[in-house]
Amino acid sequence: QVQVVESGGGLVQAGGSLRLSCKVSGLRFDNYAMGWVRQAPGKEQEGLSCIEWSGGDTPHYSDSVKGRFTSSRDNAKDTLYLQMNSLKPEDTAMYYCATVRYANCRDSWTRDIGYWGQGTQVTVSS
């Protein structure tokens, strides 16, 4: 049984930082690219970043978080991370970790999700 469990969300002031973690079990973690997706109330789901299986290549980022968010992974710990700096109120959303169906990132990665986590709420106050 595959489990994807996010943690690290919370309430932070604008300009602050948070680090999300995502622990995966039940599959061979280093066989798959991993992604972070967020959804704010009333808005469409947004794919934030995709990191390929080894973490060696520069992750893909959406324009809205490029330069502020950094995705990384520790394959020895089956864990994905998202370091979020310079947070803005518009970053308020539920953040989801997801496995991707293949090892490398493609432009279509958000349509190729294997497993989702339950999400962790991030709230940024102004």
Short mmCIF file of all heavy atoms in Angstrom, two decimals, residues 20 35-39 46-50 59-66 69 71 82 84 91 94-96 109-110:
data_model
loop_
_atom_site.label_atom_id
_atom_site.label_comp_id
_atom_site.label_asym_id
_atom_site.label_seq_id
_atom_site.Cartn_x
_atom_site.Cartn_y
_atom_site.Cartn_z
N LEU A 20 8.23 22.23 3.89
CA LEU A 20 7.33 21.08 3.83
C LEU A 20 8.14 19.82 3.59
O LEU A 20 9.15 19.84 2.89
CB LEU A 20 6.31 21.26 2.71
CG LEU A 20 5.47 22.53 2.71
CD1 LEU A 20 4.45 22.46 1.58
CD2 LEU A 20 4.81 22.75 4.05
N GLY A 35 6.39 15.60 -7.37
CA GLY A 35 5.89 16.94 -7.59
C GLY A 35 5.21 17.54 -6.38
O GLY A 35 4.78 16.82 -5.48
N TRP A 36 5.14 18.86 -6.37
CA TRP A 36 4.35 19.61 -5.40
C TRP A 36 3.28 20.37 -6.17
O TRP A 36 3.55 21.02 -7.19
CB TRP A 36 5.21 20.62 -4.63
CG TRP A 36 6.13 20.01 -3.63
CD1 TRP A 36 7.46 19.77 -3.77
CD2 TRP A 36 5.78 19.56 -2.31
NE1 TRP A 36 7.96 19.19 -2.62
CE2 TRP A 36 6.95 19.07 -1.71
CE3 TRP A 36 4.59 19.54 -1.58
CZ2 TRP A 36 6.97 18.55 -0.42
CZ3 TRP A 36 4.61 19.02 -0.29
CH2 TRP A 36 5.79 18.52 0.28
N VAL A 37 2.08 20.30 -5.65
CA VAL A 37 0.91 20.94 -6.26
C VAL A 37 0.18 21.68 -5.14
O VAL A 37 0.16 21.21 -3.99
CB VAL A 37 -0.03 19.89 -6.89
CG1 VAL A 37 -1.27 20.55 -7.47
CG2 VAL A 37 0.71 19.08 -7.95
N ARG A 38 -0.43 22.80 -5.45
CA ARG A 38 -1.22 23.48 -4.44
C ARG A 38 -2.57 23.86 -5.01
O ARG A 38 -2.76 23.96 -6.21
CB ARG A 38 -0.51 24.73 -3.91
CG ARG A 38 -0.42 25.90 -4.90
CD ARG A 38 0.38 27.04 -4.29
NE ARG A 38 0.53 28.15 -5.21
CZ ARG A 38 1.32 29.20 -4.99
NH1 ARG A 38 2.03 29.29 -3.86
NH2 ARG A 38 1.40 30.16 -5.88
N GLN A 39 -3.51 24.02 -4.09
CA GLN A 39 -4.84 24.46 -4.48
C GLN A 39 -5.37 25.43 -3.44
O GLN A 39 -5.46 25.08 -2.25
CB GLN A 39 -5.80 23.30 -4.64
CG GLN A 39 -7.18 23.74 -5.08
CD GLN A 39 -7.82 22.82 -6.06
OE1 GLN A 39 -7.63 21.61 -5.99
NE2 GLN A 39 -8.59 23.36 -6.99
N GLU A 46 -2.53 24.20 -9.05
CA GLU A 46 -1.32 24.72 -9.66
C GLU A 46 -0.13 23.79 -9.39
O GLU A 46 0.17 23.51 -8.23
CB GLU A 46 -1.01 26.11 -9.09
CG GLU A 46 0.25 26.75 -9.67
CD GLU A 46 0.60 28.09 -9.04
OE1 GLU A 46 0.00 28.44 -8.00
OE2 GLU A 46 1.47 28.80 -9.59
N GLY A 47 0.49 23.33 -10.42
CA GLY A 47 1.70 22.52 -10.27
C GLY A 47 2.87 23.44 -9.98
O GLY A 47 3.18 24.33 -10.78
N LEU A 48 3.52 23.26 -8.83
CA LEU A 48 4.57 24.17 -8.40
C LEU A 48 5.96 23.72 -8.84
O LEU A 48 6.77 24.54 -9.26
CB LEU A 48 4.56 24.29 -6.88
CG LEU A 48 3.27 24.80 -6.27
CD1 LEU A 48 3.41 24.84 -4.75
CD2 LEU A 48 2.89 26.15 -6.82
N SER A 49 6.25 22.45 -8.66
CA SER A 49 7.60 21.99 -8.98
C SER A 49 7.59 20.50 -9.25
O SER A 49 6.76 19.76 -8.73
CB SER A 49 8.57 22.29 -7.83
OG SER A 49 8.35 21.44 -6.74
N CYS A 50 8.52 20.09 -10.06
CA CYS A 50 8.75 18.67 -10.34
C CYS A 50 10.24 18.43 -10.25
O CYS A 50 11.02 19.19 -10.84
CB CYS A 50 8.22 18.30 -11.72
SG CYS A 50 8.47 16.56 -12.15
N PRO A 59 15.21 21.26 -10.57
CA PRO A 59 13.77 21.00 -10.66
C PRO A 59 13.06 22.03 -11.54
O PRO A 59 13.53 23.14 -11.73
CB PRO A 59 13.31 21.13 -9.20
CG PRO A 59 14.53 20.89 -8.38
CD PRO A 59 15.65 21.47 -9.18
N HIS A 60 11.92 21.62 -12.07
CA HIS A 60 11.06 22.54 -12.79
C HIS A 60 10.24 23.31 -11.76
O HIS A 60 9.76 22.74 -10.79
CB HIS A 60 10.09 21.77 -13.70
CG HIS A 60 10.77 20.95 -14.74
ND1 HIS A 60 10.10 20.45 -15.85
CD2 HIS A 60 12.04 20.51 -14.87
CE1 HIS A 60 10.94 19.76 -16.59
NE2 HIS A 60 12.12 19.78 -16.02
N TYR A 61 10.03 24.60 -12.00
CA TYR A 61 9.22 25.42 -11.11
C TYR A 61 8.21 26.24 -11.91
O TYR A 61 8.48 26.66 -13.03
CB TYR A 61 10.09 26.40 -10.31
CG TYR A 61 11.03 25.74 -9.34
CD1 TYR A 61 12.39 25.62 -9.62
CD2 TYR A 61 10.56 25.22 -8.12
CE1 TYR A 61 13.25 25.01 -8.74
CE2 TYR A 61 11.43 24.60 -7.23
CZ TYR A 61 12.77 24.50 -7.55
OH TYR A 61 13.63 23.88 -6.68
N SER A 62 7.06 26.48 -11.30
CA SER A 62 6.12 27.41 -11.90
C SER A 62 6.66 28.83 -11.74
O SER A 62 7.44 29.11 -10.82
CB SER A 62 4.75 27.28 -11.24
OG SER A 62 4.81 27.73 -9.90
N ASP A 63 6.23 29.70 -12.60
CA ASP A 63 6.71 31.09 -12.55
C ASP A 63 6.35 31.76 -11.23
O ASP A 63 7.08 32.62 -10.74
CB ASP A 63 6.12 31.89 -13.71
CG ASP A 63 6.72 31.50 -15.05
OD1 ASP A 63 7.80 30.87 -15.06
OD2 ASP A 63 6.11 31.83 -16.08
N SER A 64 5.25 31.34 -10.64
CA SER A 64 4.78 32.01 -9.42
C SER A 64 5.68 31.75 -8.21
O SER A 64 5.64 32.51 -7.24
CB SER A 64 3.35 31.56 -9.09
OG SER A 64 3.32 30.17 -8.86
N VAL A 65 6.48 30.68 -8.25
CA VAL A 65 7.31 30.35 -7.09
C VAL A 65 8.80 30.32 -7.42
O VAL A 65 9.63 30.17 -6.51
CB VAL A 65 6.90 29.01 -6.47
CG1 VAL A 65 5.42 29.03 -6.10
CG2 VAL A 65 7.21 27.84 -7.38
N LYS A 66 9.13 30.46 -8.68
CA LYS A 66 10.54 30.40 -9.09
C LYS A 66 11.34 31.47 -8.36
O LYS A 66 10.93 32.63 -8.28
CB LYS A 66 10.63 30.58 -10.60
CG LYS A 66 11.94 30.14 -11.22
CD LYS A 66 11.88 30.24 -12.73
CE LYS A 66 10.86 29.30 -13.31
NZ LYS A 66 10.83 29.35 -14.79
N PHE A 69 10.90 29.29 -3.96
CA PHE A 69 10.72 27.92 -3.47
C PHE A 69 11.82 27.03 -4.03
O PHE A 69 12.24 27.20 -5.19
CB PHE A 69 9.38 27.36 -3.91
CG PHE A 69 8.18 27.96 -3.25
CD1 PHE A 69 8.26 29.12 -2.49
CD2 PHE A 69 6.93 27.36 -3.40
CE1 PHE A 69 7.15 29.68 -1.89
CE2 PHE A 69 5.80 27.89 -2.80
CZ PHE A 69 5.90 29.06 -2.06
N SER A 71 12.75 22.84 -4.29
CA SER A 71 12.39 21.45 -4.08
C SER A 71 13.66 20.61 -4.03
O SER A 71 14.59 20.83 -4.80
CB SER A 71 11.49 20.96 -5.21
OG SER A 71 11.14 19.62 -5.03
N LEU A 82 10.06 20.79 0.31
CA LEU A 82 9.82 22.06 -0.37
C LEU A 82 10.16 23.18 0.60
O LEU A 82 9.44 23.39 1.57
CB LEU A 82 8.37 22.18 -0.85
CG LEU A 82 8.09 23.42 -1.69
CD1 LEU A 82 8.82 23.33 -3.04
CD2 LEU A 82 6.58 23.58 -1.93
N MET A 84 10.18 26.92 1.31
CA MET A 84 9.42 28.07 0.82
C MET A 84 9.89 29.32 1.55
O MET A 84 9.74 29.42 2.78
CB MET A 84 7.93 27.84 1.05
CG MET A 84 7.42 26.55 0.44
SD MET A 84 5.63 26.37 0.58
CE MET A 84 5.43 26.27 2.34
N ASP A 91 0.28 32.87 -1.47
CA ASP A 91 0.76 31.49 -1.37
C ASP A 91 -0.14 30.64 -0.48
O ASP A 91 0.05 29.41 -0.37
CB ASP A 91 2.19 31.44 -0.82
CG ASP A 91 3.21 32.05 -1.77
OD1 ASP A 91 3.11 31.79 -2.98
OD2 ASP A 91 4.11 32.76 -1.29
N MET A 94 -3.76 24.80 0.14
CA MET A 94 -3.43 23.43 0.56
C MET A 94 -2.33 22.93 -0.38
O MET A 94 -2.46 23.05 -1.60
CB MET A 94 -4.65 22.54 0.46
CG MET A 94 -4.44 21.14 1.02
SD MET A 94 -4.29 21.13 2.82
CE MET A 94 -6.03 21.23 3.27
N TYR A 95 -1.28 22.40 0.21
CA TYR A 95 -0.14 21.93 -0.56
C TYR A 95 -0.11 20.41 -0.56
O TYR A 95 -0.20 19.77 0.50
CB TYR A 95 1.16 22.48 0.02
CG TYR A 95 1.38 23.93 -0.32
CD1 TYR A 95 0.57 24.92 0.22
CD2 TYR A 95 2.38 24.31 -1.20
CE1 TYR A 95 0.76 26.25 -0.12
CE2 TYR A 95 2.59 25.65 -1.54
CZ TYR A 95 1.76 26.60 -1.00
OH TYR A 95 1.95 27.92 -1.33
N TYR A 96 0.03 19.85 -1.76
CA TYR A 96 0.02 18.40 -1.93
C TYR A 96 1.33 17.93 -2.53
O TYR A 96 1.87 18.55 -3.46
CB TYR A 96 -1.11 17.98 -2.86
CG TYR A 96 -2.48 18.31 -2.35
CD1 TYR A 96 -3.10 19.51 -2.69
CD2 TYR A 96 -3.18 17.42 -1.54
CE1 TYR A 96 -4.36 19.83 -2.23
CE2 TYR A 96 -4.45 17.72 -1.08
CZ TYR A 96 -5.03 18.92 -1.42
OH TYR A 96 -6.28 19.23 -0.95
N TRP A 109 3.65 16.83 -16.50
CA TRP A 109 3.74 16.00 -15.30
C TRP A 109 2.51 16.08 -14.41
O TRP A 109 2.15 15.11 -13.75
CB TRP A 109 5.00 16.34 -14.50
CG TRP A 109 5.01 17.66 -13.81
CD1 TRP A 109 5.47 18.85 -14.29
CD2 TRP A 109 4.53 17.94 -12.49
NE1 TRP A 109 5.31 19.83 -13.37
CE2 TRP A 109 4.74 19.32 -12.25
CE3 TRP A 109 3.95 17.16 -11.48
CZ2 TRP A 109 4.40 19.93 -11.05
CZ3 TRP A 109 3.61 17.77 -10.29
CH2 TRP A 109 3.83 19.15 -10.08
N THR A 110 1.83 17.23 -14.37
CA THR A 110 0.65 17.34 -13.51
C THR A 110 -0.50 16.46 -13.98
O THR A 110 -1.44 16.21 -13.22
CB THR A 110 0.17 18.80 -13.42
OG1 THR A 110 -0.10 19.29 -14.73
CG2 THR A 110 1.21 19.66 -12.74
#
